[in-house]
């Protein structure tokens, strides 16, 4: 069953109101993503993994992934596309604060898309379902960097720049090898397998009761 982006927002909000808070959804989304990545690539140990993180909840999923990947002994670099004071949500802020206590993860912030290593894997957690209008800097440079590398590319929820409602793209969009989306498939995602690569839908613990009156 495919759902709209608006229905997904409503389901998340109803789940949150039931007490299954969005920080739990974020935790489960990040954990499920890493599990799927680990199954695909088998040995993540010592892999160079670069995670591009936006300032919204899509970025928060990437922050959760960073913590879980550190547990697999991967060499994780997080590139926050902006400054920590601009992180938009409580859930993402909470996850950032955990990473700040983890010397095992390299944290970079700001606008400079220059790296002294070649990543084996790049994780795109830049933009999620709330996309509108043209993609601006520094997000645009990050998307171009992703598309210009030969790394294995993994999209969290949706490739950045792809509208998961319509399948249309913004002025630029990441082209990924795998996309993991959450709860239920959004209508536009399967239309663009050229951008998503393999698609998986992972449950993140939202109670089915949160769908009542929405679906």
């Amino acid at each position: 069953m495919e759902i709209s982006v608006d229905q997904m927002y409503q389901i998340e909000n109803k789940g949150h109101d039931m007490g299954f808070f969005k920080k739990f959804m974020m935790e489960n989304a990040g954990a499920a993503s890493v599990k799927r990545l680990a199954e695909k690539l088998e040995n993540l140990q010592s892999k160079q993994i670069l995670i591009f993180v936006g300032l919204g909840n899509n970025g928060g999923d990437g922050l959760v992934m960073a913590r879980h990947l550190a547990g697999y002994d991967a060499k994780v670099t997080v590139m926050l596309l902006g400054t920590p004071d601009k992180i938009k949500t409580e859930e993402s802020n909470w996850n950032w604060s955990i990473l700040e206590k983890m010397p095992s993860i390299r944290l970079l912030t700001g606008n400079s898309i220059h790296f002294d290593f070649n990543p084996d894997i790049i994780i795109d957690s830049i933009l999620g379902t709330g996309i509108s209008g043209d993609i601006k800097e520094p997000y645009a440079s990050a998307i171009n960097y992703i598309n210009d590398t030969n790394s294995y590319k993994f999209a969290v929820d949706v490739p950045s720049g792809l509208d998961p409602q319509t399948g249309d793209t913004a002025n630029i969009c990441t082209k990924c090898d795998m996309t993991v989306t959450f709860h239920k498939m959004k209508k536009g995602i399967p239309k663009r397998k050229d951008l998503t690569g393999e698609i998986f839908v992972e449950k993140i613990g939202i109670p089915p009761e949160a769908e009542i009156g929405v679906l």
Side-chain angles (χ1 to χ4, degrees):
M1 179 189 183
E2 295 177 2
I3 65 172
S4 70
V5 170
D6 185 59
Q7 285 170 324
M8 186 66 206
Y9 279 133
Q10 290 181 58
I11 291 165
E12 286 176 344
N13 288 334
K14 284 187 73 175
H16 185 82
D17 291 344
M18 288 170 69
F20 185 71
F21 301 131
K22 288 182 182 175
K23 69 163 62 169
F24 302 145
M25 299 177 203
M26 183 176 284
E27 180 65 32
N28 290 346
S33 295
V34 169
K35 189 165 184 293
R36 186 58 74 179
L37 189 61
E39 285 171 3
K40 178 69 179 179
L41 302 181
E42 294 177 354
N43 186 15
L44 295 175
Q45 188 173 3
S46 300
K47 287 273 199 302
Q48 289 275 9
I49 302 181
L50 173 60
I51 308 178
F52 281 108
V53 173
L55 298 171
N57 272 346
N58 190 251
D61 294 340
L63 298 176
V64 172
M65 286 186 74
R67 172 163 38 82
H68 283 269
L69 287 163
Y72 280 86
D73 296 323
K75 292 184 164 61
V76 181
T77 300
V78 171
M79 177 71 222
L80 182 73
L81 296 168
T83 52
D85 61 300
K86 297 284 197 303
I87 292 174
K88 293 175 184 170
T89 71
E90 177 197 346
E91 295 84 14
S92 294
N93 261 314
W94 183 69
N95 278 296
W96 178 261
S97 71
I98 298 170
L99 298 191
E100 287 183 317
K101 303 178 185 78
M102 294 177 63
S104 57
I105 294 175
R106 183 181 179 197
L107 297 180
L108 304 174
T109 63
N111 302 336
S112 177
I113 316 290
H114 297 288
F115 305 99
D116 56 2
F117 66 96
N118 290 317
D120 300 299
I121 302 163
I122 299 180
I123 293 168
D124 164 16
S125 62
I126 303 171
L127 293 165
T129 55
I131 180 175
S132 61
D134 281 357
I135 294 169
K136 301 179 176 65
E137 293 297 350
Y139 289 14
S141 288
I143 290 170
N144 286 325
Y145 176 89
I146 293 169
N147 288 340
D148 288 343
T149 69
N150 293 321
S151 312
Y152 187 86
K153 296 154 192 170
F154 180 99
V156 179
D157 203 15
V158 60
S160 293
L162 175 61
D163 184 331
Q165 180 63 28
T166 62
D168 296 336
T169 58
N171 52 323
I172 49 174
C173 182
T174 54
K175 189 174 189 303
C176 297
D177 299 294
M178 181 192 290
T179 298
V180 172
T181 194
F182 308 114
H183 189 65
K184 280 191 164 72
M185 182 69 80
K186 318 311 172 298
K187 291 176 178 176
I189 293 176
K191 296 178 180 175
R192 296 308 302 269
K193 296 222 170 101
D194 57 319
L195 300 173
T196 62
E198 287 185 276
I199 306 170
F200 297 94
V201 182
E202 297 291 344
K203 297 293 182 188
I204 54 172
I206 296 173
E209 287 78 6
E211 296 180 345
I212 295 170
V214 179
L215 301 184

